[in-house]
Amino acid sequence: MPKNIAVIGSGSWATAIVKILEESPLIDQIFWWMRKQEYVDSFDQYGHNPGYLSSIFFNKKKVIANNQLDVCIKSSEIIVIATPSAFVHNALNSVPKDIFQNKKMISAVKGMIPETNQIVSDYLHTQFNKSSKEIACISGPCHAEEVARERLSYLTIASENQQLVEELLPLFRCRYINCIGSDDIVGIEHAAVLKNIYAIAAGIANGLGYGDNFKAVLISCAIREMELFLQKLGIESTNVNDSAYLGDLLVTAYSQLSRNRTFGNMLGREYSVTFAQMEMKMVAEGYYSTKQIFLLNQRVGANMPIMDSVYKIIYENISARFIFAELSKLLN
């Protein structure tokens, strides 16, 4: 039986997800929550998102835009959260907590909730009493801009509930999206946070003028650092060579489409953090993630020189050139 799905968010990643879901014959209607009424008005008139990936035009009979979050949620069986992590808490706390009862929830968020320093699945469990059997996450490597161009891309859907994974996989598969399942939701959510930090590091290296040889060593050390951190968290079964880990890290660290790499590149070119943020239209999740992982690692105690270096540049305002000169002595 066709399903109704709500997508929460109006940025580029949310727009790409709506495009993917629109392709599915298994979905009846998509209720798309856009925070700005002017975006809804533009969608109703022209059938596209005026702010992000505006070249994509949608079937307005299948995709319904609305800025009333409770209406979108009540109308749907499955909820996809696709807002930047910094906005999730305020958005979801604007509706009654019991509104998510009996709803299946998918996190497409690539960060941690700043207010609670939790990955999204943990946040949904503690804040809304959602069972882990009702929660999934979706990960890349998958740039929104390449989805817009219908270039072949890859997604991983993870949940402790494999029945839920099997239900969701066909909804996201289409002629340009390959989709696989996993039960490693905690590892994949943390990896999505970490890869943005390492993409900032790669961008800083590029901005400072380091070459491909250095950046190759930087990223190979980053995947080992990620694996060590996950092990310290007690996640032992993770295979960091899988596409949701290494693949997502590589595309985020090397692609010109990566907003985190772009943010880091500006820091390496001696832009201030504030000015770099002002220059970017989209949110660089790694800015928030760096502080959150730094705080979490105070408890975990993993050796993370790359993450520490990014933290010192962003939050302690230490020269990127000095920090990377020191970091280069630690990499091998």
Side-chain angles (χ1 to χ4, degrees):
M1 181 177 178
K3 303 177 186 295
N4 289 345
I5 292 187
V7 176
I8 301 173
S10 53
S12 59
W13 184 219
T15 306
I17 288 172
V18 174
K19 176 177 170 61
I20 293 167
L21 294 172
E22 186 191 35
E23 301 270 357
S24 176
L26 302 175
I27 296 173
D28 185 21
Q29 288 191 312
I30 301 164
F31 294 89
W32 188 1
W33 178 74
M34 295 179 167
R35 183 173 59 88
K36 297 180 179 180
Q37 181 62 47
E38 57 263 36
Y39 280 20
V40 175
D41 294 340
S42 181
F43 182 89
D44 289 342
Q45 184 173 2
Y46 301 110
H48 74 152
N49 180 351
Y52 300 89
L53 304 184
S54 57
S55 63
I56 303 175
F57 288 86
F58 297 91
N59 176 359
K60 292 189 287 182
K61 292 181 179 179
K62 186 168 184 175
V63 181
I64 300 168
N66 199 318
N67 77 333
Q68 298 180 51
L69 182 56
D70 59 337
V71 172
C72 294
I73 294 169
K74 288 176 181 177
S75 303
S76 306
E77 304 143 59
I78 299 171
I79 316 298
V80 181
I81 306 168
T83 66
S85 59
F87 308 138
V88 171
H89 182 75
N90 285 341
L92 298 191
N93 275 274
S94 67
V95 296
K97 290 194 174 186
D98 62 0
I99 200 172
F100 295 108
Q101 188 173 356
N102 299 321
K103 307 287 185 183
K104 296 162 185 173
M105 307 199 59
I106 307 172
S107 169
V109 180
K110 301 174 181 180
M112 299 173 72
I113 308 300
E115 290 83 356
T116 63
N117 214 38
Q118 292 174 293
I119 55 174
V120 177
S121 60
D122 287 346
Y123 173 80
L124 294 174
H125 176 69
T126 58
Q127 295 290 315
F128 299 98
N129 198 32
K130 295 297 295 180
S131 165
S132 60
K133 300 296 184 183
E134 299 176 298
I135 300 172
C137 78
I138 189 164
S139 183
C142 190
H143 277 312
E145 293 82 359
E146 293 205 347
V147 172
R149 299 172 192 149
E150 299 186 359
R151 291 184 174 176
L152 182 61
S153 302
Y154 295 80
L155 293 173
T156 298
I157 295 177
S159 174
E160 293 180 17
N161 180 0
Q162 288 307 290
Q163 184 176 345
L164 176 59
V165 171
E166 293 303 319
E167 177 184 343
L168 296 175
L169 285 174
L171 304 183
F172 285 86
R173 285 184 178 131
C174 66
R175 55 196 165 81
Y176 53 87
I177 298 292
N178 283 350
C179 206
I180 62 172
S182 171
D183 61 359
D184 186 19
I185 182 170
V186 177
I188 286 174
E189 280 195 274
H190 280 98
V193 178
L194 289 161
K195 56 99 175 181
N196 287 328
I197 301 172
Y198 299 134
I200 291 176
I204 292 171
N206 189 73
L208 288 170
Y210 285 87
D212 291 342
N213 295 334
F214 175 85
K215 283 179 277 188
V217 173
L218 177 71
I219 298 306
S220 66
C221 289
I223 197 68
R224 296 202 304 267
E225 187 171 295
M226 178 187 291
E227 184 174 34
L228 175 62
F229 179 77
L230 295 175
Q231 288 172 351
K232 289 283 189 176
L233 281 178
I235 307 169
E236 296 289 348
S237 59
T238 292
N239 183 356
V240 295
N241 295 317
D242 287 348
S243 62
Y245 297 92
L246 181 58
D248 207 8
L249 170 61
L250 289 174
V251 75
T252 310
Y254 284 115
S255 175
Q256 299 290 336
L257 298 173
S258 168
R259 65 193 72 173
N260 290 284
R261 183 185 185 277
T262 299
F263 178 65
N265 187 61
M266 286 191 282
L267 298 181
R269 291 167 57 196
E270 299 185 344
Y271 284 56
S272 70
V273 172
T274 301
F275 191 77
Q277 289 176 311
M278 290 172 59
E279 283 283 290
M280 297 185 64
K281 180 181 178 181
M282 296 182 290
V283 175
E285 287 276 20
Y287 168 77
Y288 303 99
S289 300
T290 300
K291 186 174 184 179
Q292 291 156 349
I293 293 295
F294 179 84
L295 293 173
L296 181 56
N297 197 43
Q298 299 301 294
R299 174 175 62 83
V300 172
N303 181 30
M304 303 182 74
I306 302 173
M307 184 277 296
D308 287 337
S309 296
V310 176
Y311 180 86
K312 289 173 183 176
I313 293 166
I314 294 177
Y315 289 100
E316 296 181 359
N317 198 31
I318 301 176
S319 161
R321 190 167 301 280
F322 171 78
I323 290 295
F324 265 63
E326 294 300 305
L327 177 63
S328 67
K329 302 172 185 175
L330 303 175
L331 302 181
N332 58 68

